[in-house]
Amino acid sequence: MKHFNYTVANSTKDAIKEKSNHKNAYYIAGGSNLVDMMKVGIQRPDYLVDIMSIPFKEIKKEGNSIRLGALVSNTAAAEAALVLQNAPLVTQSITKGATQQIRNMATIGGNLMQEPRCPHFYDLSSACGRRTQNAVCPTTTEKGDNRSNAIFGINNSCNIPHPSDMAVGMLALRSNVILQGKKEARKMPLGEFYHIPSNESTKITYLKEGELITAVEIPLEPGFTHSAYLKVRDRKSYAFALISGAVAFNLKDNLINESGIAAGGVGTIPWRFKNAEQFLKGKMATVENFKKAAAIAIQGAKTGKHNKFKVRLLERILVRTMIMAKNTPYGTN
Amino acid sequence: MKNKGQNEEKQGLSRRNFLQISGTATAGVAALPLLGSTIGPNQQEKVFEIPKAVEIVLTVNGKKERLEIDPRASVLDTLRYRLNLTGTKKGCDAGHCGACTVHINGERKLSCLTLAMRHQNDEITTIEGLSDGDQLHPLQEAFIEHDAFQCGYCTSGQIMSGVACINEGHAKDTEEIREYMSGNICRCGAYPNIIKAVETTAKKM
């Protein structure tokens, strides 16, 4: 690991100042992803700004939304009564990710910012568009192994699906990210926080230089009453999703007033299916309608040689997740 | 082998400290800073300088330890190489296997992915701090009773994780234990017995 200097920031102002005053400075929170990457040499910070002492640790109801501080641990967020009662999809998705040891370390902000555990990303001798600008991902070439590749938002610089489960759940709930910059704070929908990989940049978020995630806000306006998260992976636990489905419904007498539908393992960034949500609005929660919605969701999927199975799998997982959601009212998990 | 080992102990040269001595003498320059200087509690002589060393105080198993370490040192390396608390094992050193699981302020965490200098205000508990003197922790006893290990390398991590799993209330049934213990890999495949040990202990505690 490369040598680095280190400082503890006690406030957002301090943290932003420290980061902008030092070359090649990084924020560090839970560290479960950054320390790992530093060991391998993927990230080589000269300066670490420890933000764990900043009090972004609130879990509270604020107006008509639930606010989760960026430094709340994944475990604390998943187990909070307020979250279980008002946004159980956050719990359902978090508890399907990683392990309890990692969830105890990882924070909300860090989870959103985590990098992929792609073998090419981790192999410094391999080309990778997420490490080097303009590099072409070997999985996108003729002979590349693309079994785990995304089927939405693909680009020849990177095709690895976004690793977060929590972000998929939060996306279905139409969450917002609260950001603090040097001069101003801003709020953006989680769906607009990420952008698909590009050749011009190694980043996949619109986070500006020095900006900090201070909280995630889960709006209660959609009035969701039911939700479910279904994750299919190569082993039963402690693996990234082959595909995961996240569904939230506002159901009244089996009528869908609102829905939130997203999936993991299919997009280079957490992927939401607004067209399927639109289709379900005002329809009855029947398997017939779920199948039609899923058929709409898979439109536009692009596959390679080895990941053609993902399209059918996604369709079926979405139907299954919708059935599960219909049968899982808030307060029953 | 056993006799030989005992003889070595008598001569004041155990297998472990022999490896440490030879390791220090032959390790490459790059590896040295991670092992730290030797002003630790068990050594007196300073054999090399740590570049950019930081002085820290770590609270391990209720005891405050003052150390000068490389800022890059993990809790795991600090425990093993500086404090001679070798019960915590280094498996993958990358957060995949769970062998290095310790409790930090009562929560199970991976000591390989934690920088020691960031945990100065925290209470760290390792497998060495689990027993009450010679009285083993109930889960340690259960591991023996249920034959919950073969080679033993993952065992301290399994036990630290298992104790936390029970304390968290995530040991209600076999299925839940399997899920909440999934961060601890056992290459010998002692899983059925590990689960039995955790399940029976959870019922007793």
Side-chain angles (χ1 to χ4, degrees), chain B residues 167-187:
Chain B
N167 291 343
E168 289 157 11
H170 287 134
K172 283 192 287 292
D173 52 50
T174 312
E175 205 47 39
E176 193 182 30
I177 295 168
R178 287 170 70 97
E179 172 58 37
Y180 277 86
M181 290 295 290
S182 71
N184 293 79
I185 312 290
C186 170
R187 199 175 67 172

Side-chain angles (χ1 to χ4, degrees), chain A residues 1-6 28-33 35-36 38-39 48 50-52 73 75-76 79 95-105 233 235-238, chain B residues 33-34 50-52 70-72 74 90 93-98 101 107-115 117-118 157 161 168 170 175 178-180 182-185:
Chain A
M1 196 189 294
K2 188 182 165 191
H3 259 297
F4 55 83
N5 286 315
Y6 167 86
I28 183 165
S32 54
N33 192 201
V35 173
D36 182 33
M38 284 164 66
K39 282 186 172 185
L48 283 186
D50 190 332
I51 58 170
M52 264 331 244
S73 79
T75 303
E79 290 179 355
T95 51
K96 287 285 179 289
T99 66
Q100 190 74 350
Q101 285 101 312
I102 296 170
R103 292 190 294 264
N104 283 343
M105 298 167 72
R233 40 193 158 173
R235 61 179 179 213
K236 205 177 172 192
S237 180
Y238 196 17
Chain B
L34 292 175
I50 309 170
K52 299 184 181 179
D70 186 302
R72 300 169 296 177
S74 62
K90 190 177 203 166
D93 205 25
H96 301 163
C97 75
T101 303
E107 288 190 325
R108 46 175 157 159
K109 293 188 173 177
L110 299 173
S111 62
C112 73
L113 293 183
T114 40
L115 297 171
M117 68 171 167
R118 298 185 75 207
S161 200
E168 289 157 11
H170 287 134
E175 205 47 39
R178 287 170 70 97
E179 172 58 37
Y180 277 86
S182 71
N184 293 79
I185 312 290

Side-chain angles (χ1 to χ4, degrees), chain B residues 86-89 98-99 101 127 152-161:
Chain B
T86 49
T88 305
K89 300 300 182 208
T101 303
I127 190 80
Y153 201 78
C154 73
T155 308
S156 48
Q158 297 280 2
I159 291 174
M160 294 311 283
S161 200

Side-chain angles (χ1 to χ4, degrees), chain A residues 68-87:
Chain A
L68 290 176
L71 295 172
V72 169
S73 79
N74 286 190
T75 303
E79 290 179 355
L82 204 59
V83 173
L84 276 162
Q85 286 155 15
N86 298 288

Side-chain angles (χ1 to χ4, degrees), chain A residues 62 75 140-141 169 171 185 200 212 222-223 257 297 304 308 314 319 331 333:
Chain A
E62 203 179 66
T75 303
T140 64
T141 59
L171 183 63
E200 291 75 41
L212 261 178
N257 294 313
K308 289 188 170 53
L314 171 63
V319 173
N333 71 317

Side-chain angles (χ1 to χ4, degrees), chain A residues 194-235:
Chain A
Y194 296 108
H195 61 75
I196 64 171
S198 74
N199 298 87
E200 291 75 41
S201 164
T202 56
K203 304 254 187 310
I204 57 162
T205 71
Y206 287 106
L207 202 68
K208 290 179 194 159
E209 182 57 39
E211 229 172 12
L212 261 178
I213 302 174
T214 60
V216 168
E217 188 189 85
I218 303 149
L220 299 176
E221 281 108 44
F224 293 130
T225 54
H226 294 65
S227 72
Y229 190 80
L230 173 64
K231 183 174 179 181
V232 172
R233 40 193 158 173
D234 285 330
R235 61 179 179 213

Side-chain angles (χ1 to χ4, degrees), chain A residues 111-318:
Chain A
N111 188 315
L112 295 177
M113 292 305 294
Q114 65 180 306
E115 295 286 7
R117 308 318 188 278
C118 170
H120 297 285
F121 181 71
Y122 267 79
D123 177 0
L124 292 172
S125 66
S126 171
C128 176
R130 294 290 295 282
R131 274 190 281 104
T132 323
Q133 231 169 299
N134 289 316
V136 171
C137 172
T139 67
T140 64
T141 59
E142 189 76 9
K143 286 181 179 166
D145 173 6
N146 49 34
R147 175 177 180 264
S148 52
N149 279 16
I151 54 176
F152 294 108
I154 58 180
N155 175 284
N156 71 2
S157 67
C158 176
N159 274 357
I160 191 81
H162 192 273
S164 175
D165 288 295
M166 184 193 79
V168 176
M170 285 178 169
L171 183 63
L173 294 174
R174 304 179 193 176
S175 306
N176 296 305
V177 191
I178 319 284
L179 306 168
Q180 178 67 51
K182 206 170 186 175
K183 291 198 181 103
E184 49 172 16
R186 59 186 181 131
K187 179 163 116 175
M188 54 163 52
L190 183 57
E192 291 167 26
F193 176 68
Y194 296 108
H195 61 75
I196 64 171
S198 74
N199 298 87
E200 291 75 41
S201 164
T202 56
K203 304 254 187 310
I204 57 162
T205 71
Y206 287 106
L207 202 68
K208 290 179 194 159
E209 182 57 39
E211 229 172 12
L212 261 178
I213 302 174
T214 60
V216 168
E217 188 189 85
I218 303 149
L220 299 176
E221 281 108 44
F224 293 130
T225 54
H226 294 65
S227 72
Y229 190 80
L230 173 64
K231 183 174 179 181
V232 172
R233 40 193 158 173
D234 285 330
R235 61 179 179 213
K236 205 177 172 192
S237 180
Y238 196 17
F240 290 101
L242 213 42
I243 294 182
S244 65
V247 172
F249 283 140
N250 170 338
L251 277 185
K252 204 178 177 198
D253 301 328
N254 215 31
L255 182 81
I256 303 169
N257 294 313
E258 281 290 343
S259 65
I261 302 172
V266 295
T268 47
I269 55 177
W271 210 258
R272 181 176 161 196
F273 302 99
K274 284 188 185 171
N275 45 4
E277 291 173 6
Q278 200 54 43
F279 168 80
L280 286 173
K281 200 171 174 136
K283 296 216 168 50
M284 297 306 285
T286 61
V287 175
E288 206 54 35
N289 282 331
F290 295 163
K291 282 184 178 167
K292 283 180 188 164
I296 293 169
I298 59 168
Q299 281 170 18
K302 283 200 178 78
T303 59
K305 195 174 172 187
H306 308 110
N307 66 350
K308 289 188 170 53
F309 72 97
K310 279 199 173 185
V311 181
R312 280 304 294 281
L313 187 60
L314 171 63
E315 192 177 4
R316 289 173 176 195
I317 284 174
L318 287 179

Side-chain angles (χ1 to χ4, degrees), chain B residues 47-183:
Chain B
V47 291
F48 59 84
E49 295 282 335
I50 309 170
K52 299 184 181 179
V54 286
E55 211 172 273
I56 65 158
V57 178
L58 270 193
T59 310
V60 182
N61 300 328
K63 205 173 142 204
K64 282 203 182 319
E65 307 275 7
R66 211 160 150 234
L67 298 160
E68 196 177 79
I69 61 158
D70 186 302
R72 300 169 296 177
S74 62
V75 168
L76 173 63
D77 284 346
T78 308
L79 290 172
R80 288 183 58 82
Y81 301 128
R82 300 302 310 284
L83 299 173
N84 276 339
L85 293 171
T86 49
T88 305
K89 300 300 182 208
K90 190 177 203 166
C92 66
D93 205 25
H96 301 163
C97 75
C100 69
T101 303
V102 297
H103 295 176
I104 300 182
N105 299 331
E107 288 190 325
R108 46 175 157 159
K109 293 188 173 177
L110 299 173
S111 62
C112 73
L113 293 183
T114 40
L115 297 171
M117 68 171 167
R118 298 185 75 207
H119 292 280
Q120 297 191 61
N121 300 317
D122 299 329
E123 298 270 345
I124 299 168
T125 308
T126 69
I127 190 80
E128 290 91 344
L130 207 56
S131 62
D132 183 7
D134 284 339
Q135 181 62 46
L136 293 179
H137 184 279
L139 188 60
Q140 290 177 305
E141 281 178 347
F143 263 66
I144 298 168
E145 193 186 323
H146 292 278
D147 196 17
F149 52 87
Q150 281 181 42
C151 83
Y153 201 78
C154 73
T155 308
S156 48
Q158 297 280 2
I159 291 174
M160 294 311 283
S161 200
V163 169
C165 180
I166 295 166
N167 291 343
E168 289 157 11
H170 287 134
K172 283 192 287 292
D173 52 50
T174 312
E175 205 47 39
E176 193 182 30
I177 295 168
R178 287 170 70 97
E179 172 58 37
Y180 277 86
M181 290 295 290
S182 71

